[in-house]
């Protein structure tokens, strides 16, 4: 009888079909993940008002920094799992997963402690509008106390992505979204708890998702490839070093991008609470589109990793080509939706006519970003999939810090373009990642790299 496993073999078969079928659940789960926090903003925007909307959007950016750093290390583990499977080293997967579980759990607890101890300083640096400050404290403290659940979900999902499973992450985030929606309406709308109610709904939903995911994986531990024995959770130094070497640049990359977003947020907050709310709603809409297209990158990365480890570089290159095809189709659809229904999208978040009026400025600036995102889905998956995290970190520094901060400052303050300039600089910084990544892939210099799986 054939052994049942959650992992999939992408080293053979029809690439465009595999990529499409593997991508769709990731797109859906990513959309739900963004919808998870978007629900908070929509309900708060309608029940609490513009100040509450600003509070949730700003606090979410701070929490997202911690989440993305943890996700960087989780993605490092994902690459390791994918290459181990591609090289046929299934026995090593148990040790990799156990080490990753312990590492991410520790990081989640550390970030919770930092948020709870340093939230006054963090909010002061963010230049939170006075009208939103107290509500920002509520949201940040409540959600910050449960970062281990957010980190845990992302850890489990990263491992499953590395194994070629895209359906279970969708199931887990679906549970979180459903719980969050029901509790948001109850706490914020019916009971009138305001922003604090949205925060409690968020943290309870994340906890439910994480607990269910662990229960599911424990019940299916043979298929999952991790035995859940106590000794298996002990950190193995060999794999800790490999995860750390892969994950640190990814974590720094994610962290720097979020730091730059916090900087741009601070610039926008100086314009006023309406600009803050408009930018927060716009970034959330952009995040929905961005995360849906990111599903293509999530699917392509383990496919590339497996084929590189199996010494099939031509198949890995074809994965990139078809990633571009799907990404550009999605980009055209997204840009059309923004142009045709942009104002209506902002109306979902806020009843404030001033926010609706300013939304047209946001849309006209952010549209310049979309072609770069389409390119990045293929090249980003390739660079991370082959394990070249140093180059990925360089691109993140160029995109997330040098250009995003520099261009927002240049257009918004030096050229005095104001809100439009801040959003434009935020958007076109993506070309600092897309263009060098494209040159790297097409040049073929990566073919000389040592395959990571040889050291597992």
């Amino acid at each position: 009888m054939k052994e049942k496993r959650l992992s999939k073999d992408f080293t053979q078969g029809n690439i465009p079909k595999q990529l499409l079928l593997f991508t769709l659940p990731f797109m859906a789960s990513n959309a739900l993940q963004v919808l998870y926090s978007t629900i908070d903003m929509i309900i708060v925007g309608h029940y609490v008002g513009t100040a509450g909307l600003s509070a949730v959007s700003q606090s979410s950016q701070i929490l997202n920094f911690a989440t993305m750093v943890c996700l960087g290390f989780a993605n490092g583990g994902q690459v390791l799992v994918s290459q181990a499977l591609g090289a046929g080293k299934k026995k090593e997967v148990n040790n990799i997963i156990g080490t990753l579980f312990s590492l991410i759990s520790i990081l989640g607890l550390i970030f919770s402690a930092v948020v709870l101890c340093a939230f006054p300083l963090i909010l002061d640096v963010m230049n939170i509008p006075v009208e939103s400050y107290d509500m920002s404290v509520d949201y940040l403290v409540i959600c910050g106390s449960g970062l281990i659940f957010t980190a845990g979900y992302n850890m489990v999902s990263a491992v499953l992505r590395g194994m070629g499973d895209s359906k279970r992450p969708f199931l887990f985030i679906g549970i979180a979204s459903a719980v969050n929606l029901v509790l948001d309406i109850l706490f914020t709308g019916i009971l009138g708890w305001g922003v604090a109610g949205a925060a409690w709904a968020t943290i309870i939903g994340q906890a439910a998702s994480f607990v269910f995911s662990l229960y599911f994986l424990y019940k299916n531990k043979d298929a999952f490839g991790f035995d859940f024995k106590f000794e298996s959770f002990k950190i193995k130094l060999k794999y800790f070093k490999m995860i750390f070497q892969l994950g640190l640049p990814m974590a720094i990359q994610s962290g720097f991008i979020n730091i730059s977003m916090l900087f741009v947020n601070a610039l926008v907050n100086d314009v006023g609470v309406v600009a803050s709310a408009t930018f927060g709603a716009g970034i959330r809409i952009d995040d929905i589109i961005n995360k849906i297209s990111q599903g293509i990158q999530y699917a392509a990365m383990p496919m590339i990793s497996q084929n590189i480890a199996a010494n099939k570089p031509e198949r890995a290159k074809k994965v990139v080509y078809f990633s571009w095809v799907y990404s550009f189709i999605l980009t055209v659809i997204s840009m059309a939706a923004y142009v045709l229904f942009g104002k209506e999208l902002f109306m979902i978040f806020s009843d404030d006519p001033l926010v609706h009026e300013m939304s047209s400025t946001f849309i006209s600036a952010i549209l310049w970003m979309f072609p770069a995102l389409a390119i990045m889905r293929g090249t980003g998956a390739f660079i991370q999939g082959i394990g070249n995290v140093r180059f990925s970190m360089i691109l993140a520094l160029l995109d997330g810090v040098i250009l995003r901060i520099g261009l927002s400052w240049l257009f918004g303050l030096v050229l005095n373009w104001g809100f439009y300039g801040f959003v434009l600089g935020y958007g076109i910084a993506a070309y600092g990642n897309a263009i060098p990544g494209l040159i790297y892939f097409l040049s073929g210099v990566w073919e000389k790299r040592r395959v990571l799986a040889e050291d597992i």
Side-chain angles (χ1 to χ4, degrees):
M1 184 176 178
K2 189 176 179 180
E3 181 184 10
K4 181 182 177 182
R5 298 189 67 87
L6 296 181
S7 59
K8 290 186 177 65
D9 181 7
F10 292 118
T11 60
Q12 53 189 339
N14 185 291
I15 290 175
K17 181 180 178 181
Q18 286 178 334
L19 180 61
L20 181 61
L21 294 178
F22 194 33
T23 292
L24 291 176
F26 280 138
M27 286 183 170
S29 60
N30 282 359
L32 279 177
Q33 193 164 16
V34 178
L35 183 62
Y36 187 93
S37 56
T38 301
I39 289 170
D40 289 343
M41 293 182 64
I42 292 173
I43 293 178
V44 167
H46 285 287
Y47 283 104
V48 182
T50 301
L53 179 61
S54 173
V56 174
S57 66
Q58 302 303 309
S59 300
S60 294
Q61 291 297 330
I62 297 168
L63 295 165
N64 196 46
F65 169 79
T67 301
M68 294 306 292
V69 170
C70 292
L71 183 59
F73 283 102
N75 283 341
Q78 173 186 329
V79 172
L80 210 57
V81 169
S82 295
Q83 293 217 10
L85 290 172
K89 299 181 178 182
K90 296 181 180 180
K91 291 183 179 179
E92 285 79 359
V93 171
N94 188 77
N95 289 329
I96 295 171
I97 293 174
T99 301
L100 183 64
F101 268 39
S102 297
L103 173 61
I104 299 299
S105 298
I106 292 170
L107 283 174
L109 291 173
I110 290 173
F111 275 119
S112 285
V114 170
V115 169
L116 293 176
C117 294
F119 70 86
L121 176 62
I122 295 170
L123 292 176
D124 287 343
V125 171
M126 278 290 294
N127 196 24
I128 300 295
V130 176
E131 303 94 322
S132 306
Y133 188 88
D134 289 341
M135 290 181 283
S136 296
V137 171
D138 289 340
Y139 197 86
L140 188 59
V141 169
I142 294 170
C143 289
S145 64
L147 280 172
I148 188 171
F149 301 126
T150 309
Y153 161 76
N154 282 292
M155 168 190 64
V156 171
S157 295
V159 171
L160 289 172
R161 287 197 300 269
M163 300 177 74
D165 187 344
S166 58
K167 294 179 181 178
R168 273 77 181 188
F170 173 63
L171 170 64
F172 301 150
I173 194 61
I175 292 170
S177 298
V179 172
N180 186 45
L181 174 59
V182 173
L183 295 182
D184 251 330
I185 295 173
L186 174 63
F187 293 161
T188 304
I190 298 175
L191 298 179
W193 291 1
V195 169
W200 281 115
T202 295
I203 205 65
I204 293 172
Q206 290 172 346
S209 176
F210 180 51
V211 170
F212 180 83
S213 68
L214 286 182
Y215 174 78
F216 174 85
L217 295 178
Y218 179 78
K219 296 296 288 186
N220 296 273
K221 56 187 177 183
D222 292 334
F224 181 48
F226 182 66
D227 57 24
F228 280 90
K229 294 180 180 178
F230 178 77
E231 56 267 24
S232 295
F233 286 99
K234 294 180 180 179
I235 293 178
K236 308 299 188 296
L237 186 59
K238 173 183 177 181
Y239 298 113
F240 173 81
K241 288 181 178 179
M242 297 184 76
I243 292 171
F244 196 81
Q245 289 172 351
L246 285 169
L248 182 61
M250 292 186 186
I252 292 174
Q253 170 189 355
S254 300
F256 275 129
I257 289 175
N258 278 275
I259 287 173
S260 70
M261 291 183 68
L262 294 176
F263 179 86
V264 176
N265 267 311
L267 292 176
V268 172
N269 289 341
D270 267 339
V271 181
V273 70
V274 173
S276 175
T278 304
F279 188 74
I283 290 300
R284 187 60 58 195
I285 296 168
D286 172 61
D287 202 24
I288 294 172
I289 298 172
N290 188 14
K291 284 294 195 298
I292 291 174
S293 70
Q294 197 175 56
I296 299 172
Q297 183 171 336
Y298 280 172
M301 193 162 74
M303 293 180 68
I304 291 167
S305 292
Q306 284 194 21
N307 282 289
I308 288 293
N311 196 27
K312 295 183 177 182
E314 291 304 314
R315 279 185 62 86
K317 289 163 68 175
K318 288 181 181 179
V319 174
V320 177
Y321 299 147
F322 283 104
S323 297
W324 282 338
V325 171
Y326 296 147
S327 295
F328 275 103
I329 292 172
L330 190 59
T331 295
V332 172
I333 295 172
S334 300
M335 293 179 73
Y338 244 135
V339 171
L340 297 175
F341 308 108
K343 187 175 181 179
E344 286 76 12
L345 292 173
F346 277 81
M347 291 172 68
I348 296 173
F349 291 88
S350 175
D351 296 324
D352 192 337
L354 295 177
V355 172
H356 303 163
E357 182 180 346
M358 190 172 279
S359 68
S360 60
T361 303
F362 181 95
I363 293 169
S364 62
I366 203 67
L367 285 174
W368 293 98
M369 178 179 67
F370 283 87
L373 290 181
I375 296 172
M376 288 167 57
R377 292 304 167 231
T379 56
F382 186 80
I383 293 167
Q384 291 187 334
I386 66 174
N388 193 349
V389 289
R390 292 182 181 178
F391 184 54
S392 182
M393 185 175 67
I394 291 172
L395 295 182
L397 287 171
L398 185 60
D399 167 9
V401 179
I402 298 173
L403 292 180
R404 190 166 305 201
I405 292 177
L407 291 177
S408 296
W409 176 80
L410 174 64
F411 295 149
L413 296 180
V414 177
L415 298 180
N416 200 29
W417 291 358
F419 183 71
Y420 176 83
F422 296 142
V423 179
L424 181 65
Y426 166 86
I428 66 174
Y431 289 94
N433 186 310
I435 294 175
L438 179 63
I439 294 172
Y440 174 80
F441 172 73
L442 295 178
S443 70
V445 297
W446 51 270
E447 295 177 5
K448 300 177 183 179
R449 284 183 54 83
R450 176 182 173 86
V451 177
L452 179 66
E454 296 176 7
D455 299 323
I456 296 177

